[in-house]
């Protein structure tokens, strides 16, 4: 009798251990969306730097980071574990580690909207070692559609999603529409966010249902000719630019017109929507910053006035200039430059109406 009881208990213990085992699926085997170019050797790289040349060391690192990319999948697991092998890992005091080397998880609620579920990063991360942590647990085992944002500023070599041993995971189709490319600065990258899904492009994407593909380049968005080559080759239905945040007035005057000319030629009859740079709170008392920002703004206004009113104005019919707003009572800045999550939310909502009105002219809804 004792042997029978012991056998039953042992069998139950084995089943319990078995149910706690984790099975992993590489995220690239699911539906990876927001990827600018489909055939990079590393599926988590935005740009193949063996194909596109000219990037400096910083830019090479940036284009290998999966900012703007997310994974769509369905699972009935009760727990999700993330296991990552990192390449370059970013570090800064103004951005949460969850944003630059963590994961941000959403699920589709009963209204069909993407709703926040969990976010996290490994507190005990060690460079060079596989990084594994529990992203969420104690779910009830109901099947959900998930969207997992990848880190906004660290390179991934491998990314595996762990689920219960007796659960399933499968890719789901994307219901995001069209392809809208964004090219911009650290603002577009999402510096100073708490998690990857809170940059203005990602909030805009969730709220409008338009698929964003990001060519964000923190500190390095200066309309360089080699970056323009990337944009020329990109398959997209429209562009939204944050190109006036990094270059000074002289560089804007030098590069803006050639930049626009090349994109008009490469993407005829597609909207090129430029945004004025947002107000930097640093300029409130810093006279040097204020003078620099004023000069940049004046250069942009002068050039666009000529574009829209000059002899060749018909050639620039698809070029637009709009104004974002990321400030509410001057209380949304993290470091005098970048907004916080709420500031990026204000930014996203402030451009939604003018952008959607412009896109509607081109049948993009």
């Amino acid at each position: 009798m004792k042997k029978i009881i012991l056998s039953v208990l042992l069998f139950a213990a084995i089943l319990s251990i078995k149910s706690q085992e984790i099975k992993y699926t590489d995220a690239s085997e699911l539906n990876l969306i927001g990827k600018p170019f489909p055939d990079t050797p590393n599926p988590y790289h935005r740009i193949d730097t063996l194909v596109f040349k000219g990037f400096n060391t910083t830019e090479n690192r940036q284009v290998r980071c999966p900012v703007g990319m997310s994974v769509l999948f369905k699972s009935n697991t009760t727990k999700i574990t993330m296991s990552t092998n990192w390449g370059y890992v970013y570090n800064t005091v103004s951005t949460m580690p969850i944003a630059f080397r963590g994961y941000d998880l959403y699920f589709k609620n009963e209204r069909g909207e993407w709703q926040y579920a969990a976010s996290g990063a490994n507190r005990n991360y060690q460079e060079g070692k596989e990084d594994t942590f529990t992203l969420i647990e104690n779910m009830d085992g109901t099947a959900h559609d998930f969207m997992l944002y990848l880190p906004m500023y660290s390179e991934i070599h491998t990314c595996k999603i762990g689920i219960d041993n007796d659960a399933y995971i499968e890719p789901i189709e994307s219901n995001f529409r069209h392809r809208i490319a964004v090219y911009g600065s650290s603002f577009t990258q999402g510096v100073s966010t708490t998690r990857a899904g809170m940059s203005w492009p990602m909030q805009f994407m969730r709220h409008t249902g338009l698929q964003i593909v990001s060519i964000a380049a923190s500190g390095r968005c200066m309309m360089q000719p080699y970056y323009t080559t990337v944009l020329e080759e990109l398959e997209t239905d429209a562009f939204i630019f944050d190109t006036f945040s990094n270059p000074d007035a002289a560089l804007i005057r030098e590069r803006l017109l050639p930049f626009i000319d090349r994109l008009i030629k490469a993407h005829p009859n597609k909207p090129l929507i430029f945004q004025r740079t947002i107000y930097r709170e640093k300029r409130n008392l810093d006279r040097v910053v204020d003078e620099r920002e004023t000069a940049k703004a004046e250069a942009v206004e002068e050039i666009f006035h000529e574009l829209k009113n000059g002899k060749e104005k018909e050639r620039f019919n698809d070029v637009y200039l709009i104004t974002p707003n990321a400030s509410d009572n001057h209380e949304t800045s993290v470091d005098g430059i970048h907004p916080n999550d709420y500031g990026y939310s204000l930014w996203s909502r402030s451009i939604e109406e003018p952008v959607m009105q412009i896109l509607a002219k081109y049948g993009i809804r």
Side-chain angles (χ1 to χ4, degrees):
M1 187 65 179
K2 288 183 178 179
K3 288 184 178 179
I4 294 174
I5 293 172
L6 286 173
S7 296
V8 171
L9 291 174
L10 180 60
F11 182 69
I14 291 171
L15 287 178
S16 177
I17 292 170
K18 192 75 175 174
S19 67
Q20 293 173 22
E21 288 181 1
I22 300 171
K23 62 180 179 183
Y24 286 97
T25 300
D26 196 286
S28 64
E29 297 176 9
L30 302 168
N31 189 1
L32 191 59
I33 65 170
K35 190 173 167 62
F37 295 95
D39 298 322
T40 56
N42 180 324
Y44 306 107
H45 288 178
R46 291 180 294 153
I47 295 172
D48 187 348
T49 54
L50 296 178
V51 174
F52 295 97
K53 303 291 187 179
F55 302 114
N56 65 22
T57 300
T58 297
E59 294 160 353
N60 261 286
R61 289 172 174 168
Q62 289 175 342
V63 300
R64 296 198 300 264
C65 297
V67 58
M69 293 166 59
S70 55
V71 185
L72 296 179
F73 63 94
K74 173 176 282 196
S75 181
N76 62 344
T77 187
T78 65
K79 176 180 177 179
I80 294 177
T81 301
M82 299 304 305
S83 185
T84 312
N85 283 306
W86 300 104
Y88 165 74
V89 175
Y90 182 66
N91 193 21
T92 182
V93 298
S94 67
T95 307
M96 286 279 286
I98 289 174
F100 65 73
R101 61 165 177 82
Y103 295 90
D104 190 8
L105 183 70
Y106 279 70
F107 75 103
K108 188 170 284 187
N109 63 25
E110 63 275 5
R111 297 184 301 277
E113 300 167 345
W114 290 109
Q115 182 175 329
Y116 173 80
S119 53
N122 190 357
R123 295 181 181 180
N124 301 314
Y125 159 74
Q126 294 181 357
E127 186 177 354
K129 294 186 177 181
E130 189 163 9
D131 184 15
T132 302
F133 73 97
T134 299
L135 180 60
I136 189 171
E137 56 188 343
N138 303 317
M139 293 186 287
D140 64 8
T142 302
H144 290 291
D145 289 354
F146 291 103
M147 177 165 60
L148 179 71
Y149 287 102
L150 302 183
M152 51 74 85
Y153 211 155
S154 292
E155 180 188 13
I156 293 174
H157 286 164
T158 64
C159 171
K160 292 180 287 186
I161 300 173
I163 63 171
D164 302 336
N165 191 57
D166 57 353
Y168 72 87
I169 186 170
E170 61 187 21
I172 57 173
E173 291 295 317
S174 171
N175 61 354
F176 291 104
R177 308 178 305 280
H178 305 285
R179 273 172 64 90
I180 312 299
V182 296
Y183 170 53
S185 67
S186 55
F187 297 139
T188 300
Q189 189 111 18
V191 168
S192 293
T193 54
T194 58
R195 46 192 177 87
M198 293 306 290
S199 65
W200 71 260
M202 297 302 95
Q203 295 196 55
F204 181 87
M205 176 174 157
R206 285 197 304 276
H207 202 248
T208 64
L210 297 176
Q211 175 64 63
I212 296 293
V213 291
S214 178
I215 308 291
S218 178
R220 300 298 306 161
C221 177
M222 293 183 279
M223 299 174 283
Q224 303 95 312
Y226 50 89
Y227 256 118
T228 312
T229 300
V230 172
L231 299 175
E232 287 174 326
E233 295 298 319
L234 194 60
E235 290 188 13
T236 184
D237 299 308
F239 287 93
I240 304 175
F241 298 111
D242 153 39
T243 47
F244 306 135
S245 300
N246 292 150
D248 60 17
L251 208 52
I252 290 171
R253 294 182 188 280
E254 174 189 332
R255 291 182 176 174
L256 180 54
L257 278 176
F259 179 76
I260 292 174
D261 284 338
R262 287 182 60 179
L263 290 179
I264 288 175
K265 184 177 180 181
H267 299 278
N269 304 314
K270 292 183 179 178
L272 309 178
I273 305 171
F274 288 83
Q275 300 178 85
R276 296 174 174 90
T277 190
I278 62 170
Y279 185 88
R280 300 188 185 211
E281 297 295 342
K282 240 183 178 180
R283 65 190 295 186
N284 293 333
L285 293 177
D286 189 321
R287 292 174 298 169
V288 172
V289 172
D290 186 55
E291 289 172 4
R292 183 173 67 240
E293 292 297 303
T294 299
K296 287 163 53 174
E298 289 175 350
V300 170
E301 298 304 319
E302 289 172 15
I303 293 170
F304 267 85
H305 182 270
E306 178 61 26
L307 288 183
K308 305 307 279 187
N309 297 282
K311 295 179 181 179
E312 295 186 279
K313 61 183 180 181
E314 288 80 12
R315 193 160 67 87
F316 302 105
N317 283 339
D318 300 312
V319 181
Y320 302 88
L321 181 65
I322 64 173
T323 304
N325 174 38
S327 180
D328 184 0
N329 240 1
H330 300 281
E331 293 286 359
T332 61
S333 185
V334 172
D335 55 6
I337 300 171
H338 304 95
N340 57 19
D341 290 351
Y342 178 56
Y344 283 121
S345 181
L346 291 173
W347 183 328
S348 171
R349 297 303 174 92
S350 72
I351 68 168
E352 185 174 323
E353 183 176 345
V355 168
M356 296 305 287
Q357 287 177 350
I358 293 168
L359 295 181
K361 299 177 183 179
Y362 300 83
I364 302 171
R365 294 179 172 86

